[in-house]
Amino acid sequence: MQRFIGCLVCMCAVFVFTCIGHAQAEKPFEFALYGGYATGPYDADGGNYGFGFGLDVPIIKEDPYGNMLSGEIFISWNHGEKGYTMSVVPLADPANPISVPATATLQTTTVNADLKYTLKNLLPNMNLYGLAGVGVYIYEVDYDLDVKDGQGLPAEWTYVGFSNGSVLGVAGPAYPAGEEMPFGWAHTDFGFQVGTGLDYYILPFLSLGIDYRYNVVTRQSENNFHQVFSKLAFHF
């Protein structure tokens, strides 16, 4: 029985190492899952994470140098938080705003179309790639005052703004103390991303890797952000 188990283990080991030795066989399509760190726009300083998925379709399976050009659709969701000092204007005394801490929750959805160039067999069972492409970026920002039960707030207030004096809210009915700050916004931008990554093949149809992307958005530079993801890819 022990000999049988030993033979079985050896056969499995030979099979796995044979697969690894041919890990970069002709499987040019890729579906990948991503997850890890994302800075988010506006230099978010907490709660930074993101995840996504991508699909690669070969355009040139093998160029004269043995490398591959493919097209990629990449979709990601990114989360971040940033602390602010906000100005709340009391309804009874609008000339004297009160500063209170607040948190902005930043949600970013990206839909990107990239070209990816892969250097195959850079090292045994390892590929290096670079990518560049355009995308649509959907931003959602929600603001919450960091107060409990209205502590530190006037009895009624109506304007909300950054401590630098720029007004975020609009004139309207008074909000009772302790109520969640009624402000948030969303917008859509266009931009592009560049990036690079490394894949290590475990099996012909499976690889692990790391992926880095820098996103540049057209509206304003503070919307730009980084993504550093771990990657699990299936090849077919």
Side-chain angles (χ1 to χ4, degrees):
M1 185 65 179
Q2 291 180 342
R3 290 184 179 179
F4 173 76
I5 294 175
C7 290
L8 185 60
V9 170
C10 290
M11 291 174 63
C12 290
V14 170
F15 172 75
V16 170
F17 282 106
T18 301
C19 289
I20 292 176
H22 297 83
Q24 299 180 40
E26 292 298 325
K27 295 184 182 295
F29 293 85
E30 176 185 291
F31 176 76
L33 302 174
Y34 299 82
Y37 179 80
T39 60
Y42 303 104
D43 297 322
D45 50 22
N48 297 341
Y49 62 85
F51 58 91
F53 66 89
L55 177 65
D56 289 12
V57 177
I59 298 173
I60 300 175
K61 292 183 178 180
E62 188 170 320
D63 67 10
Y65 304 99
N67 302 318
M68 181 172 66
L69 178 68
S70 57
E72 178 195 57
I73 298 297
F74 178 74
I75 299 175
S76 71
W77 295 267
N78 309 273
H79 176 276
E81 296 177 356
K82 186 173 180 65
Y84 286 99
T85 300
M86 311 296 288
S87 294
V88 171
V89 179
L91 195 66
D93 189 12
N96 294 297
I98 299 173
S99 295
V100 287
T103 298
T105 300
L106 316 166
Q107 306 279 357
T108 309
T109 302
T110 77
V111 181
N112 299 90
D114 300 312
L115 287 176
K116 178 188 288 186
Y117 187 72
T118 302
L119 301 175
K120 299 170 67 176
N121 294 308
L122 181 67
L123 292 172
N125 304 316
M126 190 174 294
N127 289 348
L128 175 68
Y129 60 83
L131 61 88
V134 297
V136 177
Y137 297 80
I138 304 169
Y139 293 95
E140 298 181 22
V141 182
D142 294 311
Y143 295 90
D144 292 316
L145 295 179
D146 294 335
V147 295
K148 294 182 179 180
D149 301 324
Q151 294 179 7
L153 287 178
E156 292 182 319
W157 50 277
T158 185
Y159 287 97
V160 176
F162 284 112
S163 57
N164 62 10
S166 60
V167 174
L168 294 178
V170 295
Y175 299 103
E179 185 171 310
E180 182 177 294
M181 184 166 62
F183 184 76
W185 53 265
H187 72 266
T188 301
D189 278 343
F190 297 95
F192 66 91
Q193 66 177 197
V194 294
T196 185
L198 190 67
D199 291 325
Y200 181 78
Y201 282 75
I202 302 172
L203 295 169
F205 57 86
L206 183 66
S207 67
L208 298 175
I210 186 169
D211 182 276
Y212 167 77
R213 299 170 191 247
Y214 180 62
N215 297 269
V216 178
V217 184
T218 56
R219 180 173 292 194
Q220 49 191 1
S221 61
E222 62 184 6
N223 284 8
N224 301 344
F225 63 98
H226 305 265
Q227 295 168 306
V228 183
F229 289 153
S230 299
K231 176 182 176 183
L232 174 66
F234 302 90
H235 307 270
F236 54 97

